[in-house]
Amino acid sequence: MPGRKELLKMSSWKKLEAHFSEMKDIHMRTLFSDDRSRGERYRIIHNNIYFDYSKNIINDRTLQLLVELADEVNLRTEIERMFTGEIINETEKRPVLHVALRNRSGNAVYVEGRDVMPDIYAVLEKMHKASDDIRSGRWTGFTGKPIKNIVNIGIGGSDLGPVMVCEALKYYSQRDINNFFVSNIDSTHITEVLQRTDPGETLFIVASKTFTTMETMTNAETARRWIVEHLGSEQAVAYHFIALSTNSAAVAKFGIKTDNMFEFWDWVGGRYSLTSAIGLSIMISIGYENFIELLEGFHDMDNHFRHAPFKENIPVLMALLGVWYNNFFGSHTYALLPYEQYLHRFPAYFQQGDMESNGKSVTRSGARVTYSTGPVIWGEPGTNGQHAFYQLMHQGTSIIPADFIGFIKPLNPVADHHDKLIANMFAQSEAFAFGKTESEVRAEGVDGKLVPYRVFEGNRPSNTILCPRLTPEVLGSLIAMYEHKIFTQGIIWDIFSFDQWGVELGKLLAGRILGELSSFNSPADEHDSSTKALISHYRSITRE
Ligand code: F6P
């Protein structure tokens, strides 16, 4: 990073600009007809992952220039800086070492000269014991009943990762233990969960890196009152609450004993924390062995990212292609389309992963960026999206690049469902890329006036990620793949991907307004007239 040249002044960027003017009007129909082996040439097969990136508006020259860009931004050095524990989260003065959490190599990882692996193994072992005790019924509540309901109370990274993985790996879960997730401060969320659970059989996992987040602490206090009220004793808290946190003082103050606290460290970012203690609800659901398999999958992708040459490196290529569309074609949104019902929270998970990481507008040296950075990430599982928003993707005015994610073998085979599912996935990427020309429409005998409506321009880019089967290991690799894509794009855009200062202002103002909602004084003058009127109107109705 020292002395890093401005992105738009880099020689590879200038070459890409010139190259873009040659590529922008080229259609994928031409690219495919000019090269009959394109589908085999533009793909990477790494262990369980088949990554097809042939349906992009690129040629060999594009790839060469994009890889040149990765070299020019010193991506290789930056990757090493992360993996070796340098303080790359400069605004929070921390290393970024989620890769250590799933380091299965047996090698040491140092933070300020100290190997952090023994601490990581110790917490994993503690999680192992607790999850075995809970799954086997050995862990009993205050009234002696085994635990049947796990309620994870957390938000953002302390919620989305566990919920996404518990859903994704539900097939491997122990079915007599129910997993609930409470995140929203809206009391409806916790009320609906508490209505469905027996206090004597319920274990709350309060997941919060800081143990100060308003939503989580409010929900945790409500859960605590509910336990004490229903089980009739303050002592019940010790049996029904676990904390996952870096803040042992706040955990103790809440009344959770040290034995029931699972620690992690400030070099684990919230949205990169699901393989830390934050993953306890996952381990309880799928068991220790499956959790270790998940870590193995992460680790394999970490190694691939760290060592594979850029032109054969899946996360790097994904990132470079994303930059190609974002910064050259002006595509500012990106769709994640898993054709797998179990992955229904995958897009929501990477909404935080990507948008909280790369939704930044100041470079690492403090200047305002002069180019666009992180895109809006969104998506739904196939085939639901096809009957909702795909219309815009096919015939709307913007180009929306997309990733299709599918699995060859279904976990729940029933009749021909799976072939139909995957036929739809392949069909959509084909339709996006090639569309349907006017002459093809006419040849179908479509009435003259209707022809323009029936034309599909095509040339809509996508990647297809195909894996043999959804296993914990494959899921780990897929998550790590997207994490490293985000890292790579952050380096190219020269932004800090591991802080999130943009969430602070809202938190501060909410704290201020909270006091005013119950006060009899008029709203503070420093508010604008809209906010003041909203507060006054709210108060007038709540006091009716
Ligand atoms: O939304 C901001 C944020 O800090 C996220 O980055 C984080 O995942 C979430 O809040 C929850 O934070 P905590 O785990 O400290 O409660």
Side-chain angles (χ1 to χ4, degrees):
M1 211 261 280
R4 157 104 187 229
K5 207 182 205 175
E6 220 182 286
L7 180 62
L8 303 192
K9 294 195 178 138
M10 292 193 166
S11 73
S12 53
W13 195 270
K14 289 189 183 304
K15 287 187 220 166
L16 277 164
E17 278 170 341
H19 176 64
F20 173 67
S21 57
E22 290 158 18
M23 291 301 289
K24 68 180 177 5
D25 298 320
I26 292 190
H27 202 287
M28 272 189 257
R29 279 194 287 263
T30 314
L31 294 171
F32 271 85
S33 61
D34 286 355
D35 174 5
R36 296 276 159 199
S37 62
R38 186 178 166 93
E40 284 101 57
R41 282 205 315 121
Y42 288 175
R43 72 175 174 192
I44 298 170
I45 303 174
H46 171 73
N47 290 343
N48 283 321
I49 297 184
Y50 181 110
F51 173 64
D52 172 6
Y53 60 100
S54 61
K55 294 189 183 94
N56 281 293
I57 312 166
I58 55 166
N59 60 19
D60 288 355
R61 171 87 178 139
T62 326
L63 286 171
Q64 180 206 328
L65 293 179
L66 287 170
V67 168
E68 220 176 289
L69 173 65
D71 288 330
E72 199 172 353
V73 299
N74 287 324
L75 179 61
R76 186 63 71 200
T77 312
E78 299 284 359
I79 293 173
E80 278 315 296
R81 292 181 69 214
M82 171 167 73
F83 275 85
T84 54
E86 277 194 40
I87 299 187
I88 61 168
N89 177 356
E90 286 185 31
T91 65
E92 295 180 322
K93 299 191 177 53
R94 293 167 189 166
V96 173
L97 269 177
H98 43 276
V99 291
L101 299 168
R102 61 267 188 140
N103 167 25
R104 308 299 299 162
S105 67
N107 297 335
V109 177
Y110 294 99
V111 172
E112 287 169 354
R114 189 172 162 270
D115 180 10
V116 293
M117 290 315 299
D119 290 347
I120 291 173
Y121 297 139
V123 173
L124 262 179
E125 251 335 286
K126 188 170 169 180
M127 291 165 70
H128 185 182
K129 168 143 188 7
S131 59
D132 273 1
D133 285 352
I134 294 165
R135 287 162 64 86
S136 65
R138 278 195 302 274
W139 180 304
T140 49
F142 185 58
T143 56
K145 290 186 189 173
I147 298 301
K148 291 280 165 239
N149 306 303
I150 301 292
V151 183
N152 187 87
I153 299 180
I155 197 162
S158 302
D159 166 72
L160 288 163
V163 75
M164 183 276 279
V165 175
C166 283
E167 286 298 301
L169 299 179
K170 196 179 240 165
Y171 179 81
Y172 303 89
S173 68
Q174 183 167 316
R175 300 286 176 156
D176 62 353
I177 295 186
N178 303 309
N179 274 294
F180 296 97
F181 292 87
V182 172
S183 52
N184 200 335
I185 200 162
D186 182 339
S187 45
T188 294
H189 205 175
I190 191 154
T191 303
E192 285 292 339
V193 169
L194 298 185
Q195 268 170 16
R196 292 160 63 194
T197 49
D198 170 345
E201 298 180 340
T202 301
L203 180 67
F204 292 95
I205 299 182
V206 186
S208 176
K209 180 173 170 182
T210 54
F211 229 71
T212 56
T213 304
M214 185 200 264
E215 291 87 341
T216 302
M217 297 327 296
T218 306
N219 280 320
E221 290 293 351
T222 298
R224 190 184 198 288
R225 279 196 305 278
W226 183 76
I227 282 290
V228 172
E229 220 172 83
H230 285 82
L231 300 183
S233 170
E234 278 286 334
Q235 285 169 14
V237 174
Y239 294 76
H240 292 270
F241 280 84
I242 279 180
L244 319 174
S245 188
T246 57
N247 185 351
S248 47
V251 169
K253 200 160 165 234
F254 183 89
I256 296 176
K257 50 181 189 174
T258 323
D259 280 359
N260 283 1
M261 167 165 165
F262 296 72
E263 73 164 329
F264 60 110
W265 307 275
D266 70 358
W267 40 261
V268 182
R271 54 193 174 274
Y272 297 90
S273 65
L274 76 85
T275 52
S276 72
I278 288 291
L280 182 62
S281 56
I282 302 170
M283 196 189 277
I284 296 170
S285 173
I286 63 173
Y288 175 78
E289 281 74 24
N290 281 321
F291 193 86
I292 294 298
E293 244 202 61
L294 178 77
L295 299 187
E296 303 276 358
F298 270 96
H299 181 59
D300 177 68
M301 184 54 67
D302 292 345
N303 277 334
H304 169 76
F305 176 58
R306 189 174 183 182
H307 300 297
F310 293 156
K311 59 180 189 334
E312 292 155 26
N313 192 314
I314 302 175
V316 171
L317 282 182
M318 289 178 96
L320 292 170
L321 291 166
V323 167
W324 179 234
Y325 295 115
N326 186 326
N327 298 95
F328 294 90
F329 285 84
S331 300
H332 297 144
T333 92
Y334 200 102
L336 298 184
L337 308 170
Y339 275 63
E340 168 54 67
Q341 186 58 29
Y342 282 127
L343 289 189
H344 68 111
R345 296 296 285 161
F346 197 81
Y349 175 69
F350 276 110
Q351 226 158 34
Q352 185 201 18
D354 204 317
M355 293 166 78
E356 207 174 65
S357 297
N358 286 344
K360 312 284 166 67
S361 50
V362 175
T363 67
R364 288 179 293 171
S365 46
R368 182 82 167 75
V369 296
T370 50
Y371 40 83
S372 60
T373 58
V376 174
I377 302 291
W378 56 283
E380 283 290 326
T383 58
N384 297 4
Q386 290 174 208
H387 297 272
F389 51 79
Y390 277 42
Q391 164 64 41
L392 184 149
M393 297 178 77
H394 282 292
Q395 288 187 316
T397 49
S398 350
I399 291 187
I400 301 175
D403 290 346
F404 290 93
I405 305 170
F407 299 88
I408 297 168
K409 291 189 186 147
L411 290 174
N412 298 301
V414 178
D416 60 352
H417 281 244
H418 194 70
D419 282 350
K420 284 177 176 163
L421 173 73
I422 298 302
N424 271 280
M425 181 174 95
F426 292 165
Q428 289 298 328
S429 72
E430 193 172 33
F432 279 145
F434 303 103
K436 197 191 270 187
T437 62
E438 194 182 318
S439 50
E440 283 166 347
V441 175
R442 284 190 196 286
E444 284 173 0
V446 171
D447 175 18
K449 273 195 179 153
L450 283 181
V451 170
Y453 304 101
R454 303 288 295 270
V455 168
F456 289 69
E457 282 171 10
N459 223 20
R460 317 266 157 154
S462 67
N463 298 314
T464 297
I465 297 134
L466 197 58
C467 308
R469 200 161 184 259
L470 177 54
T471 61
E473 191 182 354
V474 165
L475 181 69
S477 293
L478 288 176
I479 300 170
M481 180 178 91
Y482 278 97
E483 287 178 348
H484 297 320
K485 168 197 170 169
I486 294 165
F487 173 89
T488 301
Q489 292 188 331
I491 296 300
I492 293 170
W493 290 322
D494 192 19
I495 52 181
F496 286 121
S497 297
F498 297 101
D499 59 19
Q500 55 285 318
W501 297 106
V503 300
E504 293 304 322
L505 179 60
K507 286 186 195 172
L508 181 85
L509 295 183
R512 206 180 280 169
I513 292 172
L514 178 63
E516 296 180 52
L517 292 182
S518 54
S519 156
F520 282 92
N521 302 327
S522 25
D525 273 340
E526 65 248 35
H527 291 303
D528 59 276
S529 58
S530 157
T531 309
K532 260 163 108 171
L534 287 165
I535 295 172
S536 299
H537 184 64
Y538 178 89
R539 290 198 322 199
S540 69
I541 307 281
T542 52
R543 292 203 183 123
E544 267 172 10

